[in-house]
């Protein structure tokens, strides 16, 4: 079946959550949001573009930092209301310079930093 | 620092997206939503409980199907507005009986089923 971005279930704001996962290691890097336009741009260019909810504009990941995400494979979930982006991540995915945004673990009720910023 | 569920950035509906990942294989299994109560219940019991947006009630994952998720580790992202649940998944995570909800890949513009239902 030909994929139609309009067939996805966007929320009331026209957005859908997108999980970025390192295609080689399986590491979950970040979660951000897409609208139909950013998804189309991602598929057209092969580089991940999100929708910035704070700036209310297209956000070509890594456009200024160089920390781009090359889309290796797009996956949809069963309800078509979430995307999984299997990516080739250049450098850190997180604005804190860490490989992944999920660098805080909760262990025995305490927050523990489990990833350091990249050199 | 002691983890306080009230310190998370919930959305306007009091919800936060939670990604469930197989702790052993790294496979992304599903994305669902939590509120503060479901997160507290998850931490109290060690079994993942979400908030069902359709039924508007706590959803103890696997309570009827037996396909429970044991929480191995909770992680927070940099913005504290998304959770990563590293879990030990019993059986399929997806209601379609597939291991993961992300069983549809988009390849060269076509939707391809990449995971079959479990036996």
């Amino acid at each position: 079946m030909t994929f139609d971005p309009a067939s996805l279930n966007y929320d009331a704001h026209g957005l859908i959550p997108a999980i970025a996962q390192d295609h080689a290691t399986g590491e979950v890097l970040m979660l951000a949001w897409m609208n139909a336009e950013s998804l189309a741009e991602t598929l057209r260019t092969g580089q991940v573009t999100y929708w910035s909810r704070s700036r209310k504009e297209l956000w070509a990941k890594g456009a200024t930092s160089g920390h781009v995400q090359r889309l290796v494979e797009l996956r949809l979930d069963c309800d078509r209301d979430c995307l999984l982006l299997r990516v080739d991540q250049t450098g850190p995915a997180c604005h804190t310079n860490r490989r992944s945004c999920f660098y805080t673990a909760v262990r025995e009720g305490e927050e523990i930093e489990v990833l350091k910023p990249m050199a």
Side-chain angles (χ1 to χ4, degrees), chain A residues 68-118:
Chain A
V68 296
Q69 294 178 336
R70 183 175 65 82
L71 183 67
V72 176
E73 187 174 77
L74 171 65
R75 293 207 188 173
L76 323 175
D77 79 343
C78 49
D79 295 329
R80 305 178 78 85
D81 64 359
C82 183
L83 303 175
L84 177 63
L85 313 171
R86 295 178 58 89
V87 303
D88 178 8
Q89 169 75 53
T90 298
C94 185
H95 74 288
T96 66
N97 217 42
R98 292 175 176 85
R99 180 72 180 170
S100 163
C101 294
F102 296 96
Y103 56 82
T104 304
V106 176
R107 294 180 182 165
E108 300 184 353
E110 296 291 318
E111 294 190 19
I112 308 290
E113 183 183 316
V114 293
L115 279 178
K116 296 291 179 194
M118 295 174 77

